[in-house]
Amino acid sequence: MDFLRPTTWEEALAAKADRPEAVPIQGGTDVMVELNFDVRRPEALLDLNRVAELREWSIAGGFCRVGAGVPYAAVIEELGGPLPGLAQAARTVGSPQIRNRGSVGGNLGAASPAGDSHPPLLAAGAVVEVESYGRGVRMIPAAEFYLGVKRSALEPDELIRAVHVPPATGPQYFSKVGTRNAMVIAVCSFAIALHPRERRVGTGLGSAAPTPRRALEAEELLAAELDWDAPLDPALLRRFGELCARAAAPIDDVRGTAAYRVHAIGVLARRTLTWAWNDHLEKRAA
Ligand SMILES: Cc1cc2nc3c(=O)[nH]c(=O)nc-3n(C[C@H](O)[C@H](O)[C@H](O)COP(=O)(O)OP(=O)(O)OC[C@H]3O[C@@H](n4cnc5c(N)ncnc54)[C@H](O)[C@@H]3O)c2cc1C
């Protein structure tokens, strides 16, 4: 197995163009598990750890640009203010060791329906920056990035460079059901982001369909009927939960049944909207 070690982004893109079959490795918390269990035996690994810019983040032009290699630990420590939903999700990932190595870019690269970054990225309206040597940059909205179980819109000669996330303008929450509190793959998960300036609520479902997805009908319901100056109407909250549950299309597997997941998504949706709404009203009253 060849081990390619570019030191700049341009070298990394050139290596991927030259060897499209090379498997990128950032934190390695997915890749090394696959190698250890012989799930795949690539001809080459493309180690991105020497490309320093991938571990940087910045805020400009209405977006927080998070480099693909920024580990969860940095998201938690440094980005809890602008990206509270993503930071909450990051806190639930694996263990301290996994959060030190694992990255948001790696979560996107793996494109697992159970990946914890995806629901908050969807709810916030994130855009994934990918690039190839020959064709340049493509900006892919998160909602169009996930194509199937562990399949994304990334082409074989492309690498993920960063994810652009609008800094929060309202409360955001992430909630995850697991069989225990740490080191657990989500049975299902849900993220919510209030966008008060646009009078809009974003959603993201995890581990509840072949891909992470938004609950579009539920979002449309709130856009049409939510009174942003009043307490949350219990009937509206109930219908929101029902529409979120209806957006799920889960399977039975070792972690849970489809029926349980549908039920749990409805509960998480109601719960997170209630938390977010309480924060929203508190902030208005202050
Ligand atoms: C014990 C354990 C617990 C875990 N717990 C959780 C959990 O709670 N929640 C969760 O979501 N995940 C969990 N994971 C999975 C994993 O940690 C995450 O998916 C993590 O985000 C992967 O990031 P990484 O940097 O380690 O990716 P890597 O393993 O380096 O790569 C993952 C995938 O992305 C690709 N890739 C990496 N970087 C790029 C790039 N720049 N461009 C294109 N492709 C790229 C790789 O080729 C690979 O296919 C766990 C894993 C372990 C081993």
Side-chain angles (χ1 to χ4, degrees), residues 16-245:
K16 193 70 171 120
D18 193 38
R19 302 282 301 270
E21 81 287 0
V23 172
I25 178 166
Q26 183 68 52
T29 60
D30 279 316
V31 171
M32 290 312 297
V33 174
E34 290 180 353
L35 294 188
N36 285 341
F37 284 95
D38 229 0
V39 177
R40 59 173 158 179
R41 192 136 294 266
E43 284 174 24
L45 283 179
L46 177 59
D47 176 20
L48 298 172
N49 280 278
R50 288 186 176 178
V51 183
E53 70 154 79
L54 292 179
R55 297 172 75 86
E56 292 167 4
W57 63 266
S58 58
I59 297 185
F63 280 93
C64 182
R65 183 178 183 275
V66 183
V70 172
Y72 293 113
V75 173
I76 295 164
E77 280 160 31
E78 299 162 23
L79 293 173
L83 309 181
L86 188 62
Q88 275 183 30
R91 277 186 213 109
T92 76
V93 172
S95 61
Q97 295 88 339
I98 297 295
R99 293 193 288 273
N100 277 335
R101 295 290 314 174
S103 62
V104 177
N107 216 221
L108 285 164
S112 159
D116 288 321
S117 307
H118 312 312
L121 293 181
L122 286 167
V127 179
V128 186
E129 178 184 344
V130 308
E131 190 170 352
S132 73
Y133 190 73
R135 286 169 294 110
V137 175
R138 284 200 300 148
M139 301 296 284
I140 309 174
E144 295 165 25
F145 185 77
Y146 314 105
L147 297 186
V149 177
K150 299 192 175 176
R151 272 197 314 113
S152 74
L154 199 66
E155 297 290 344
D157 64 342
E158 286 178 326
L159 291 171
I160 302 165
R161 189 170 193 176
V163 59
H164 298 238
V165 196
T169 54
Q172 300 186 349
Y173 279 98
F174 171 81
S175 195
K176 168 173 165 181
V177 175
T179 46
R180 56 185 182 182
N181 275 341
M183 292 288 276
V184 71
I185 302 175
V187 174
C188 64
S189 63
F190 189 86
I192 202 154
L194 266 52
H195 303 280
R197 287 182 204 151
E198 301 154 50
R199 294 281 196 258
R200 190 173 70 75
V201 174
T203 59
L205 275 66
S207 215
T211 64
R213 56 166 66 165
R214 289 164 60 190
L216 289 172
E217 277 186 83
E219 291 185 14
E220 283 161 18
L221 172 79
L222 294 187
E225 297 193 18
L226 194 56
D227 178 351
W228 286 77
D229 302 315
L232 203 49
D233 172 8
L236 183 64
L237 180 63
R238 198 170 52 248
R239 279 165 62 211
F240 176 69
E242 285 164 6
L243 288 178
C244 288

